Amino acid sequence: MNRESLLVATLVELADSLVDNFDVIDVLTLLSDRCVEAVDVDAAGVMLRSPAGELEYVASSSDTMRVLELFQIQADEGPCVDCMRDGFAIVNRELVAPDAR
């Protein structure tokens, strides 16, 4: 399925799931799964910032991503934490270069 068809199918599936008693976690898990397919990445996760300003894990496309998201929260560092603090997306970070962390 090409990217445009996948996007249309995903939007239809998401719209179908938004009924009176929909489960937000199921919808966000579906969205993260479809992002993996559409963007051709290994995994995707969803974190939300609470009203108190803390990151909270919500959904992911795999158990590995769930663990990674939880480690970021526990260590209070990582791309999601950096993005929340700085307000800038972390794009194409080269992981082979030495890092102060």
Side-chain angles (χ1 to χ4, degrees):
M1 182 181 301
N2 66 34
R3 186 178 287 180
E4 290 79 18
S5 297
L6 179 61
L7 178 60
V8 169
T10 300
L11 290 174
V12 168
E13 194 171 356
L14 288 171
D16 285 346
S17 66
L18 297 177
V19 293
D20 287 339
N21 295 322
F22 74 95
D23 184 348
V24 174
I25 304 302
D26 288 344
V27 171
L28 293 175
T29 300
L30 171 68
L31 184 60
S32 63
D33 289 339
R34 294 304 182 268
C35 285
V36 168
E37 295 175 50
V39 184
D40 192 30
V41 294
D42 292 329
V46 179
M47 283 195 198
L48 297 177
R49 187 167 64 179
S50 72
E54 297 178 6
L55 277 178
E56 296 182 18
Y57 166 79
V58 180
S60 65
S61 62
S62 69
D63 192 52
T64 303
M65 180 54 83
R66 180 186 65 80
V67 170
L68 179 63
E69 300 283 54
L70 293 173
F71 277 142
Q72 288 186 80
I73 291 170
Q74 183 180 21
D76 196 32
E77 66 176 278
C80 292
V81 175
D82 293 346
C83 182
M84 186 199 70
R85 284 190 184 135
D86 303 336
F88 298 105
I90 308 300
V91 180
N92 295 329
R93 184 176 176 134
E94 189 172 330
L95 298 176
V96 294
D99 191 331
R101 293 190 257 189

